Amino acid sequence: MDKKWIPLLLSIFVAIGSLQLGSVVSAEQQHTSDVTEAVKLIIEEKDGFVHPGISVDPQKLENTRRELMKGNDPWLSYYNAMKETKYASLKFESANLKAGTIDTPKDSTFTKAAANVNLSSDGFRAYTQAVLYYLTGNSQYRYNALRLVRIWENMNPHAYQYYADSHIHVGTPFYYMVSAAELLRYTSVVDEEYDDIPNGIMNYSLKWTEEDTEKLTANLIDPVISTFLYTNYRYMNQHLYPVIGAMAGYIFKDDKARYEEAVEWAMVNSTTTKPDINGALQNQFRLIEANDPRNPTGKTYVQHLEMGRDQAHGAGDVINFTGIARILTQQRTKLDPEKGTVSTATYAQTPYAFLNQRILDGSENFYRYMAGYTIPWTELGYQDFGGKVSEAYRGRTGLYFNMSELYDAYRYLEGMTEEELETRAPTLTVMAKHLTSPIFYNGTNKVNFWGSFSDNKMTEIGCEYWLSLPSERNADKGIAIAAQAADSSVAFGERGAILDKGLAAAITEEGATYIRVKSAKSQDQIKETEYDSHFPNDTTTVRGGNQIALPSLIKINKPESEFLSLRIRSTGTAKLFISSNNYFGEAYQELNIPNTNGQWKHIVYNTNEKKQISRTARQLANMDFYSVISDTDVQVDFDRLQYVNASGGLITNVPTFKGNGEQVHYLLKKVPFEQKVELENADNVTLSLFNAPNGMSIDSDGMLRWTPDKKTEEPITVIVAADNGTVINTQQIGFVVSNNPHQAYETVLSTHDPDQVYTHKSYLEFSKRKEAIQALLKGKVEDRTFLSALSGFVNSLQALELLNPKLEDGTLNYYAYDSMISNVTTMNRDNLKRLVDNDTATFSGDMRAPSTFDFGAEYKISAKAFSFQARRGFPNRSEGMNVYGSNDGVNWILLTETYTTNTEAMETLRVKQSLLNEAFRYLKFQVDYPGIPTDPAYPGISSFAELRIDGTRYEVNP
């Protein structure tokens, strides 16, 4: 088995389809022949600043070039991959050059997002070209980089204006543009002039001049900082992005006062006017004291606050703090241990040591949760992020390529031993030891590490870390860079989380690692042993139910790619429950594992939400949890997950069972049963049975035959496996055997609840089938005729729909059947599920108009109250909500006495006393008194996360 690696860090705000990547080719192509020592770094240390020292450590950059000239990894692999991106092209390109000019901006204003897109493209290209000039000495790279910088030197300093979200998005591309200028300013010039013959530009000066410094400062650096970045009151990690950009400008300018101010803002931010949403390290990675009455663990620990919002934003914090710590370290900056201010005292600390290694502990808890483990969590009661830890984006760990940065810092700069790091930051250590190759699969997309943290706005810094790798990395084979991934599979031995160490363990054979899972008789027997050992006094946090978890998935919403494949081997048959959490949540899919007799097989399961075994079960887009359940002791080895009919995955037509999936047949003793198992994509498929009773068989055409010889009290469950030579799909079929027709009828009828009220349409069909069976039983009936009628009766029983299905809290489950709500306006109908899932991170979608539910011409709703809960972080978007009723969809009556307020708590609106007995076909949810917009640039958006209807459904003409 080939050893390969799949990425383990985070995709933050990344739409892979919009990545600015060049064509991906093999990283085996070597480019070290062009690396030379022709260019010298002009290293300066003055007035407390190190140059060049924004994006790189100058000494480590010099070491990077030495390692490249020796052909050493990981430097070589990163360099080769970087050279494959469009940013490394020797052809000059600019997104903001006026046609026919050398350095005149196409748009010299900076008042809208388009300017930031241009800066992103030109800034990262200029940075790449500047890096390549230093490494190779090729003057064409310097020419390209200088021209790009000089275009932006000519911006109009009076034409900058803040626009929506610019404080978030400008900082990173600005960081790269200024870092490019920093490298150009502090590198020697091989050729003082350059002739660009194809473009007719001759004798172009390659010298960095004082005029360059002055123009860049006056026309780009100062106006960008003052307009977009000089702020210390922004919401959570929105505070960090401008700090990073501003720091780059201050270092370039040698602005000591502003730099030291920015350092304090990043660490503590004591002067902020909005301390409740402070994004600085001390607040964002909050120390939760053991004696805090809200703390369920009884132990002091670090909590990453923004994980209460969602994990995409939480990831941004980790990346930002990591990058800020590197910038400060490169600048030889140390901190006051309490104030977080710049200090030269003997007791001053590095940013990594600050607050008892706060960056390490906060990041470890984040990575741990993203990997699938339960983490300690305290509900602090703050609006937007003080509730439960969010599952939004959990498991989205696909862009981790070279991010061993924190591990390297604590291992080689802070002097922690490997054993100390494994104890304090076990997940971080696993990630560092399981790096992916620089060209890798993120889901089924092949991605190049260089620039892949970002979309067209260059959202995150970090890919440039490879230029500052410590020299010790060459000797540490434990974190050696991996070979190029052969496919897009996700290996359990590298990505999987072992949750119950009593029932799962990592096994290594012939250099390959997989996870061996022992079955449990029920999910209640499965415990999350690691959490229990660290926080034994926590009786509040629910955990358990799955032996293992697998992150780093990107599920594909396409019909041909709705299956995932597990490469497993088993010693017996078992149930595999697949869910979205490890707190005994409802499984969204169930898989029947056949006995593979110790042979590795690919077995598939479906991720299409409309084909789940439960309508209400949640499913995460980037992670699955697995529990193996069996009445007997079964051992299942999990090797890897592979995508089906997608890039880098298994290409095959999955044999798919037609019909109702898990079905039960009611049979008569000694009466032959015969039924064809029908498949889609049945070509070259071999069918086999597992757990089949004596005498049961299935032929190559799918004909299942059995003559039962005795009555059964419990159903006999048989697994049918369809194997096309590439994958196996399975289906469970149940059989209940009775002695005679009367007994069979009573057995079926015992599964019916006569005390429930069903819809007239579904109950009418059930009654017809029931009467037909009863009529047959009054006379002498042929067995096959009876069994056929009994099968129809069973189907009608299963098709019964409750008139008023209930959620766990007793309110109306309007999502129970597709027939409950015939039409939804404004809101996507699929989002109805999100409104009953008890998760405030999932929501109605952002709407610009009221949403209307139509319960159909045959039904009306009479309600006592409506309860709403806001989308996490956006209570203003459901503020001022009223509910209206109508019977024609045109004329509306206000039903509710009050409207919603700005709160994240569940809020109940009572129906007016005079309308309690009125019933309506239509309900409309309308924001009449909107709150202050989250961003003034996006007014009029309404949304909500949970909706409960305390009411009764009536049939109009029963």
Side-chain angles (χ1 to χ4, degrees):
M1 184 187 309
D2 291 336
K3 190 174 182 180
K4 43 101 46 207
W5 308 96
I6 301 295
L8 182 64
L9 280 193
L10 299 146
S11 133
I12 317 305
F13 311 126
V14 175
I16 292 298
S18 65
L19 286 176
Q20 297 184 335
L21 300 177
S23 59
V24 176
V25 300
S26 173
E28 294 176 1
Q29 296 181 10
Q30 302 299 304
H31 294 285
T32 53
S33 60
D34 61 356
V35 175
T36 72
E37 294 182 330
V39 178
K40 307 300 181 186
L41 280 186
I42 305 169
I43 301 176
E44 290 186 1
E45 296 190 27
K46 61 178 182 179
D47 300 327
F49 287 100
V50 176
H51 298 289
I54 298 174
S55 65
V56 294
D57 181 291
Q59 280 78 27
K60 289 187 174 64
L61 180 59
E62 289 181 325
N63 180 69
T64 293
R65 189 167 65 179
R66 288 192 294 270
E67 298 288 355
L68 287 174
M69 295 182 72
K70 296 174 185 176
N72 288 337
D73 262 338
W75 298 270
L76 175 60
S77 292
Y78 288 127
Y79 178 75
N80 287 342
M82 181 183 73
K83 288 289 292 284
E84 302 303 337
T85 67
K86 68 177 184 180
Y87 301 107
S89 171
L90 278 168
K91 180 182 177 182
F92 177 81
E93 291 183 26
S94 170
N96 196 34
L97 176 65
K98 183 178 180 180
T101 71
I102 295 177
D103 55 17
T104 301
K106 178 174 61 177
D107 184 355
S108 64
T109 70
F110 210 128
T111 60
K112 54 186 181 295
N116 192 59
V117 173
N118 290 340
L119 180 62
S120 294
S121 178
D122 283 2
F124 197 67
R125 188 184 299 276
Y127 183 71
T128 307
Q129 299 283 316
V131 168
L132 286 169
Y133 168 70
Y134 167 71
L135 294 176
T136 69
N138 186 333
S139 292
Q140 189 171 347
Y141 288 128
R142 185 173 181 90
Y143 164 76
N144 292 342
L146 267 171
R147 275 194 71 189
L148 287 167
V149 171
R150 284 169 176 165
I151 291 168
W152 291 85
E153 286 178 10
N154 289 322
M155 295 290 284
N156 182 351
H158 307 295
Y160 286 74
Q161 182 178 327
Y162 180 87
Y163 58 87
D165 294 343
S166 55
H167 65 284
I168 306 172
H169 297 300
V170 174
T172 298
F174 177 75
Y175 162 90
Y176 282 116
M177 179 62 82
V178 177
S179 294
E182 174 93 342
L183 284 175
L184 293 170
R185 186 182 183 186
Y186 293 99
T187 47
S188 64
V189 178
V190 175
D191 300 301
E192 293 190 357
E193 293 181 343
Y194 182 79
D195 292 337
D196 181 0
I197 297 174
N199 292 309
I201 300 173
M202 310 300 287
N203 303 318
Y204 187 87
S205 175
L206 298 185
K207 293 187 293 185
W208 184 269
T209 66
E210 190 59 34
E211 182 184 11
D212 285 316
T213 300
E214 292 171 356
K215 289 178 65 177
L216 186 68
T217 300
N219 298 336
L220 184 71
I221 294 176
D222 286 346
V224 162
I225 292 175
S226 62
T227 306
F228 308 118
L229 309 182
Y230 190 66
T231 169
N232 73 331
Y233 59 85
R234 300 293 184 181
Y235 182 83
M236 303 300 278
N237 74 11
Q238 294 183 17
H239 164 69
L240 297 174
Y241 292 100
V243 166
I244 287 173
M247 275 186 175
Y250 300 151
I251 294 169
F252 184 85
K253 291 170 50 180
D254 292 323
D255 189 335
K256 188 174 182 179
R258 280 287 185 88
Y259 171 76
E260 292 187 353
E261 180 183 55
V263 169
E264 195 278 336
W265 284 4
M267 297 295 112
V268 175
N269 198 16
S270 61
T271 59
T272 182
T273 57
K274 296 184 178 180
D276 53 326
I277 59 171
N278 182 11
L281 176 67
Q282 185 180 58
N283 185 65
Q284 184 74 276
F285 287 3
R286 177 77 62 86
L287 189 69
I288 306 297
E289 300 287 354
N291 60 2
D292 188 322
R294 300 166 295 184
N295 182 352
T297 72
K299 286 188 174 184
T300 298
Y301 71 94
V302 174
Q303 180 163 307
H304 178 0
L305 294 189
E306 202 151 11
M307 291 177 67
R309 183 184 183 192
D310 66 51
Q311 304 321 320
H313 289 90
D317 294 294
V318 172
I319 291 175
N320 287 336
F321 285 131
T322 301
I324 288 170
R326 172 159 47 90
I327 294 171
L328 268 57
T329 301
Q330 289 162 177
Q331 288 300 314
R332 319 293 190 257
T333 299
K334 290 192 174 182
L335 309 171
D336 181 277
E338 295 182 1
K339 298 177 181 179
T341 53
V342 175
S343 174
T344 57
T346 55
Y347 54 78
Q349 296 180 329
T350 68
Y352 302 108
F354 183 61
L355 297 179
N356 191 25
Q357 301 178 324
R358 185 71 58 88
I359 292 178
L360 180 63
D361 289 343
S363 299
E364 168 63 21
N365 260 358
F366 174 79
Y367 297 145
R368 194 155 186 77
Y369 182 72
M370 293 295 281
Y373 300 98
T374 300
I375 61 171
W377 189 262
T378 298
E379 294 189 36
L380 300 174
Y382 302 144
Q383 184 169 292
D384 300 357
F385 55 81
K388 299 180 182 297
V389 61
S390 173
E391 291 181 337
Y393 304 101
R394 188 182 189 186
R396 193 170 74 169
T397 58
L399 283 176
Y400 265 134
F401 56 88
N402 69 334
M403 287 297 290
S404 65
E405 182 167 350
L406 279 180
Y407 179 90
D408 291 349
Y410 284 97
R411 180 83 170 84
Y412 304 120
L413 298 180
E414 297 297 299
M416 292 181 71
T417 66
E418 184 177 359
E419 292 73 20
E420 288 171 333
L421 271 168
E422 286 179 345
T423 300
R424 184 148 182 182
T427 317
L428 185 76
T429 300
V430 167
M431 290 179 346
K433 293 184 176 181
H434 292 83
L435 296 176
T436 184
S437 55
I439 296 177
F440 59 93
Y441 281 96
N442 182 34
T444 59
N445 289 280
K446 211 169 195 181
V447 180
N448 192 307
F449 88 101
W450 190 246
S452 64
F453 263 159
S454 301
D455 52 20
N456 63 358
K457 297 184 294 296
M458 295 305 296
T459 311
E460 310 289 347
I461 70 171
C463 63
E464 71 279 2
Y465 166 65
W466 79 274
L467 296 165
S468 298
L469 284 172
S471 57
E472 293 89 342
R473 282 289 300 275
N474 189 41
D476 193 340
K477 303 306 179 186
I479 51 175
I481 193 130
Q484 178 69 51
D487 56 41
S488 57
S489 62
V490 185
F492 280 90
E494 297 155 5
R495 303 298 170 217
I498 296 175
L499 305 175
D500 188 331
K501 289 188 175 181
L503 294 175
I507 306 293
T508 300
E509 290 180 358
E510 299 179 354
T513 302
Y514 56 86
I515 295 179
R516 174 163 292 169
V517 175
K518 297 177 182 178
S519 65
K521 287 184 169 54
S522 71
Q523 287 186 289
D524 291 336
Q525 295 180 351
I526 305 172
K527 308 298 180 185
E528 189 166 340
T529 53
E530 193 76 7
Y531 189 88
D532 290 346
S533 66
H534 283 89
F535 302 99
N537 296 325
D538 185 356
T539 59
T540 301
T541 304
V542 180
R543 66 270 186 189
N546 296 279
Q547 290 102 326
I548 57 175
L550 188 68
S552 302
L553 310 182
I554 298 182
K555 296 176 184 176
I556 304 169
N557 189 25
K558 293 180 180 179
E560 68 274 15
S561 304
E562 63 186 14
F563 285 96
L564 295 177
S565 168
L566 297 174
R567 187 172 188 266
I568 63 169
R569 63 184 179 189
S570 66
T571 60
T573 60
K575 283 284 188 184
L576 181 67
F577 293 106
I578 307 163
S579 62
S580 67
N581 56 61
N582 198 40
Y583 45 84
F584 300 97
E586 191 176 21
Y588 78 83
Q589 202 57 270
E590 183 179 303
L591 179 61
N592 297 288
I593 298 177
N595 186 348
T596 72
N597 296 306
Q599 300 296 310
W600 288 108
K601 299 289 184 180
H602 293 276
I603 188 165
V604 296
Y605 66 94
N606 198 298
T607 60
N608 186 332
E609 285 194 348
K610 295 181 180 179
K611 297 179 181 179
Q612 294 185 175
I613 61 172
S614 165
R615 288 175 63 86
T616 56
R618 297 192 59 236
Q619 181 183 170
L620 298 182
N622 306 113
M623 163 171 274
D624 279 333
F625 291 76
Y626 304 93
S627 59
V628 178
I629 306 298
S630 178
D631 291 332
T632 60
D633 292 335
V634 174
Q635 179 178 286
V636 182
D637 295 338
F638 290 78
D639 176 46
R640 61 189 60 246
L641 178 145
Q642 289 190 265
Y643 297 94
V644 177
N645 295 327
S647 178
L650 299 175
I651 307 301
T652 185
N653 291 320
V654 177
T656 306
F657 292 91
K658 296 180 181 179
N660 298 325
E662 309 286 293
Q663 52 188 300
V664 177
H665 296 284
Y666 292 85
L667 308 182
L668 296 176
K669 186 174 69 174
K670 296 185 179 180
V671 176
F673 167 79
E674 185 177 276
Q675 179 172 306
K676 186 171 184 178
V677 175
E678 294 190 293
L679 295 170
E680 295 179 1
N681 302 322
D683 292 344
N684 302 314
V685 169
T686 301
L687 292 168
S688 54
L689 302 177
F690 295 88
N691 295 343
N694 291 333
M696 183 178 287
S697 65
I698 190 168
D699 64 23
S700 60
D701 293 327
M703 190 60 70
L704 183 65
R705 296 182 175 90
W706 182 43
T707 301
D709 60 359
K710 61 182 178 181
K711 177 182 178 296
T712 61
E713 296 293 336
E714 296 293 331
I716 296 172
T717 57
V718 177
I719 297 174
V720 181
D723 186 346
N724 69 359
T726 301
V727 297
I728 298 174
N729 197 3
T730 62
Q731 183 183 62
Q732 177 177 291
I733 302 178
F735 298 91
V736 177
V737 182
S738 299
N739 287 322
N740 55 64
H742 286 276
Q743 191 179 71
Y745 168 70
E746 293 297 332
T747 299
V748 172
L749 193 62
S750 68
T751 64
H752 170 60
D753 186 351
D755 296 329
Q756 294 288 351
V757 178
Y758 301 94
T759 62
H760 179 73
K761 182 185 294 185
S762 66
Y763 194 75
L764 181 62
E765 178 65 21
F766 168 76
S767 298
K768 289 179 180 178
R769 298 282 188 174
K770 180 180 178 182
E771 290 170 3
I773 287 286
Q774 290 173 337
L776 288 174
L777 290 173
K778 290 179 181 178
K780 186 173 178 59
V781 59
E782 198 270 334
D783 289 334
R784 289 183 181 276
T785 302
F786 169 77
L787 288 174
S788 176
L790 185 67
S791 177
F793 178 52
V794 170
N795 291 337
S796 70
L797 189 154
Q798 293 174 339
L800 283 172
E801 293 188 0
L802 295 170
L803 181 60
N804 282 282
K806 302 293 184 182
L807 295 169
E808 289 183 359
D809 60 7
T811 60
L812 183 67
N813 183 2
Y814 51 85
Y815 183 69
Y817 317 109
D818 285 337
S819 60
M820 287 288 290
I821 298 178
S822 63
N823 187 43
V824 181
T825 66
T826 306
M827 184 175 72
N828 186 322
R829 182 184 176 87
D830 291 340
N831 286 346
L832 285 172
K833 178 180 179 179
R834 279 64 172 158
L835 303 183
V836 296
D837 64 359
N838 295 306
D839 183 0
T840 57
T842 64
F843 62 105
S844 60
D846 287 332
M847 301 176 291
R848 296 280 186 176
S851 182
T852 301
F853 290 1
D854 178 4
F855 288 87
E858 299 176 359
Y859 302 96
K860 289 186 178 182
I861 299 293
S862 177
K864 298 178 182 178
F866 301 88
S867 297
F868 294 89
Q869 193 164 12
R871 175 190 175 190
R872 187 177 303 182
F874 297 92
N876 56 313
R877 290 186 176 176
S878 59
E879 183 180 354
M881 180 87 70
N882 277 317
V883 184
Y884 294 81
S886 174
N887 281 311
D888 58 11
V890 177
N891 300 293
W892 296 93
I893 298 174
L894 176 63
L895 303 182
T896 44
E897 295 177 338
T898 57
Y899 48 84
T900 56
T901 62
N902 191 325
T903 178
E904 291 200 3
M906 183 72 82
E907 196 167 16
T908 299
L909 308 183
R910 300 291 176 187
V911 172
K912 294 177 180 179
Q913 187 71 27
S914 60
L915 298 173
L916 286 176
N917 296 319
E918 297 292 325
F920 300 92
R921 172 179 171 176
Y922 302 94
L923 295 176
K924 180 170 68 172
F925 310 100
Q926 178 172 303
V927 172
D928 290 326
Y929 309 101
I932 298 173
T934 304
D935 191 311
Y938 304 105
I941 295 176
S942 64
S943 62
F944 48 97
E946 297 291 310
L947 168 63
R948 302 291 182 268
I949 301 175
D950 183 4
T952 304
R953 183 169 68 146
Y954 296 97
E955 293 191 275
V956 175
N957 296 304

